[in-house]
Amino acid sequence: MLKEVEHWLSTRSWSMTDRPLHRIMAAKRATGQTVSVVLPALNEEETVGDIVAIIRHDLMRQVPLVDEIVVVDSGSTDRTSQVAAAAGARVVHRDDILPRVPAVPGKGEVLWRSLLVTRGDIVCFIDADLREFSSDFVSGIVGPLLTDPGVDLVKAMYDRPLGSAAGQGGRVTELMARPLLNMHWPQLAGFVQPLGGEYAARRSLLERLPFPVGYGIELGMLVDALHLAGLDALAQVDVGVRKHRHQDGAALGRMSAAIYRTAQLRLARGHLIRPVLTQFERGREGFEPRTYAVDLDERPPMVEITEYAERKAA
């Protein structure tokens, strides 16, 4: 490991207990910064309501840390929107944000558009499929941004059990993302959960970053933030254990392909010879191929979008 990373781990890698809530609130009052929490959601009616309710109770009613909770629904066919709204979130549908730009499927697409419908100086992203959720996920990663002006982006780190097996979650992280980062961006080798969906950042950073539209968003954001802000502006906080729905091997393969494409673009801005991934499923007559397109699109930095610039000027 690079000496720079060893130093970073000792100075920019914290536990949520390092910043008690009263200290975080004192910093929020002193700086006047506002906090938006965004939950990207697609068919998450079983979990999204509990997450919203816990954040509202712990971090809006008991203490005013969070100024707004926005659930961006990316086309759910279940009751995600109704459940989220009933729990107290403001629900916005992906296709209603910046309608002149046709939306494409993907998590990164939703996060990019969320910048247009939130106001917070700090934006905190939380996946909507978390179970046994704790508001420490929010306060833990928002805390350093409020207390340390030199920090621009904070990732959550945690244990990720796979069923009853401790520490076996995050398979794409270990098999794809971590090798890529260690070999090509070794300054980022200290991140425990580089692909984790729980992170917070200053709007002033987010609005200057391009957003891969799909699963490459987390790796792309880390790499781009490193180049734009430097390693010392990045940090991570241990928030305990993350429990969520796990995807099957085929879905993880498609995720890996999108992440590899994101890395490839940042390495050489090159072109894939064939930007698709073929997987196999056993059918009645043996193994049958299934071919999927790999996410190619990226959204430009939000500061380049006319509607966003006009909103900032208003």
Side-chain angles (χ1 to χ4, degrees), residues 150-199:
V151 174
D152 288 339
L153 184 149
V154 182
K155 296 278 292 189
M157 57 177 168
Y158 31 66
D159 294 317
R160 295 183 68 180
L162 181 60
S164 60
Q168 296 302 306
R171 292 161 288 174
V172 175
T173 293
E174 301 305 328
L175 297 174
M176 173 62 72
R178 199 175 308 285
L180 281 172
L181 292 176
N182 275 262
M183 287 186 290
H184 298 297
W185 296 281
Q187 287 178 296
L188 299 174
F191 277 94
V192 175
Q193 297 291 351
L195 300 186
E198 290 68 48
Y199 46 97

Side-chain angles (χ1 to χ4, degrees), residues 85-147:
R90 176 161 61 94
V91 178
V92 185
H93 292 272
R94 177 198 62 196
D95 295 351
D96 294 335
I97 306 171
L98 199 63
R100 71 171 178 84
V101 179
V104 298
K107 179 182 178 182
E109 176 83 353
V110 173
L111 300 187
W112 180 72
R113 289 174 186 264
S114 76
L115 296 181
L116 263 168
V117 292
T118 53
R119 293 282 184 177
D121 302 304
I122 294 169
V123 183
C124 176
F125 299 118
I126 300 290
D127 280 350
D129 66 342
L130 302 189
R131 302 180 185 278
E132 300 179 29
F133 177 77
S134 167
S135 60
D136 290 336
F137 272 66
V138 175
S139 58
I141 57 179
V142 166
L145 294 162
L146 288 169
T147 60

Side-chain angles (χ1 to χ4, degrees), residues 21-33 143 145-148:
L21 193 54
H22 68 84
R23 180 185 167 197
I24 296 172
M25 287 305 304
K28 177 177 168 67
R29 288 190 292 269
T31 62
Q33 296 178 91
L145 294 162
L146 288 169
T147 60
D148 190 333

Side-chain angles (χ1 to χ4, degrees), residues 4 6 34 59 70 87 99 121 128 156 170 174 179 181 195 197 202 219 247 249 271-272 296-298 301 305 313:
E4 181 183 5
E6 292 180 358
T34 54
L59 302 179
V70 178
D121 302 304
E174 301 305 328
L181 292 176
L195 300 186
R202 299 190 192 282
L219 183 135
Q247 301 194 56
H271 299 282
L272 285 175
L296 299 179
D297 296 331
E298 292 197 3
I305 300 300

